[in-house]
Short mmCIF file of all heavy atoms in Angstrom, two decimals:
data_model
loop_
_atom_site.label_atom_id
_atom_site.label_comp_id
_atom_site.label_asym_id
_atom_site.label_seq_id
_atom_site.Cartn_x
_atom_site.Cartn_y
_atom_site.Cartn_z
N HIS A 171 -4.61 31.48 3.77
CA HIS A 171 -4.81 32.91 3.21
C HIS A 171 -4.01 33.96 3.79
O HIS A 171 -3.16 34.61 3.34
CB HIS A 171 -6.24 33.19 2.80
CG HIS A 171 -6.36 34.55 2.19
ND1 HIS A 171 -5.91 34.78 0.94
CD2 HIS A 171 -6.98 35.71 2.59
CE1 HIS A 171 -6.14 36.01 0.59
NE2 HIS A 171 -6.85 36.57 1.59
N LYS A 188 6.25 22.19 4.49
CA LYS A 188 6.48 23.60 4.09
C LYS A 188 5.19 24.45 4.31
O LYS A 188 4.14 23.89 3.84
CB LYS A 188 7.05 23.64 2.68
CG LYS A 188 8.42 23.02 2.56
CD LYS A 188 8.91 23.03 1.22
CE LYS A 188 10.35 22.45 1.03
NZ LYS A 188 10.57 21.12 1.53
N ILE A 215 -6.83 20.81 -3.19
CA ILE A 215 -6.98 22.31 -3.37
C ILE A 215 -8.36 22.60 -2.67
O ILE A 215 -9.45 22.27 -3.12
CB ILE A 215 -7.14 22.67 -4.90
CG1 ILE A 215 -5.91 22.27 -5.57
CG2 ILE A 215 -7.36 24.12 -5.03
CD1 ILE A 215 -5.77 22.32 -6.99
N GLU A 249 -12.88 22.56 -18.80
CA GLU A 249 -12.38 21.96 -20.15
C GLU A 249 -10.94 22.03 -20.15
O GLU A 249 -10.25 21.11 -20.60
CB GLU A 249 -12.89 22.80 -21.41
CG GLU A 249 -12.65 22.25 -22.76
CD GLU A 249 -13.29 22.97 -23.92
OE1 GLU A 249 -13.89 24.10 -23.56
OE2 GLU A 249 -13.25 22.53 -24.95
N ILE A 272 -20.43 10.06 -6.36
CA ILE A 272 -20.56 9.63 -7.67
C ILE A 272 -19.37 8.69 -8.11
O ILE A 272 -19.56 7.65 -8.78
CB ILE A 272 -20.87 10.82 -8.62
CG1 ILE A 272 -22.25 11.39 -8.44
CG2 ILE A 272 -20.86 10.36 -10.13
CD1 ILE A 272 -22.55 12.62 -9.11
N MET A 340 -19.70 24.92 7.58
CA MET A 340 -18.82 25.36 6.46
C MET A 340 -18.43 26.95 6.60
O MET A 340 -19.13 27.56 7.49
CB MET A 340 -19.46 25.21 5.08
CG MET A 340 -19.92 23.59 4.95
SD MET A 340 -20.83 23.37 3.45
CE MET A 340 -22.31 24.38 3.78
N LEU A 420 -13.73 6.96 11.88
CA LEU A 420 -14.96 7.75 11.69
C LEU A 420 -16.17 6.79 11.98
O LEU A 420 -16.18 5.57 11.83
CB LEU A 420 -15.02 8.00 10.17
CG LEU A 420 -14.03 9.06 9.73
CD1 LEU A 420 -13.97 9.14 8.22
CD2 LEU A 420 -14.17 10.44 10.43
N LEU A 428 -31.45 6.30 12.36
CA LEU A 428 -31.81 7.24 11.24
C LEU A 428 -33.16 7.24 10.90
O LEU A 428 -33.72 8.41 10.61
CB LEU A 428 -30.84 6.72 10.07
CG LEU A 428 -31.05 7.47 8.71
CD1 LEU A 428 -30.51 8.92 8.97
CD2 LEU A 428 -30.27 6.77 7.64
N ALA A 481 -31.52 39.32 -4.40
CA ALA A 481 -30.66 40.09 -5.25
C ALA A 481 -29.45 39.23 -5.64
O ALA A 481 -28.79 39.68 -6.74
CB ALA A 481 -30.23 41.48 -4.46
N ILE A 504 -10.78 33.17 -20.00
CA ILE A 504 -11.54 32.88 -18.77
C ILE A 504 -11.41 33.88 -17.68
O ILE A 504 -12.29 34.50 -17.00
CB ILE A 504 -11.26 31.47 -18.31
CG1 ILE A 504 -11.71 30.32 -19.20
CG2 ILE A 504 -11.87 31.15 -16.87
CD1 ILE A 504 -11.11 29.03 -19.00
#
Side-chain angles (χ1 to χ4, degrees):
H171 178 63
K188 295 180 173 61
I215 302 168
E249 187 175 11
I272 290 172
M340 306 174 293
L420 295 169
L428 184 60
I504 290 167

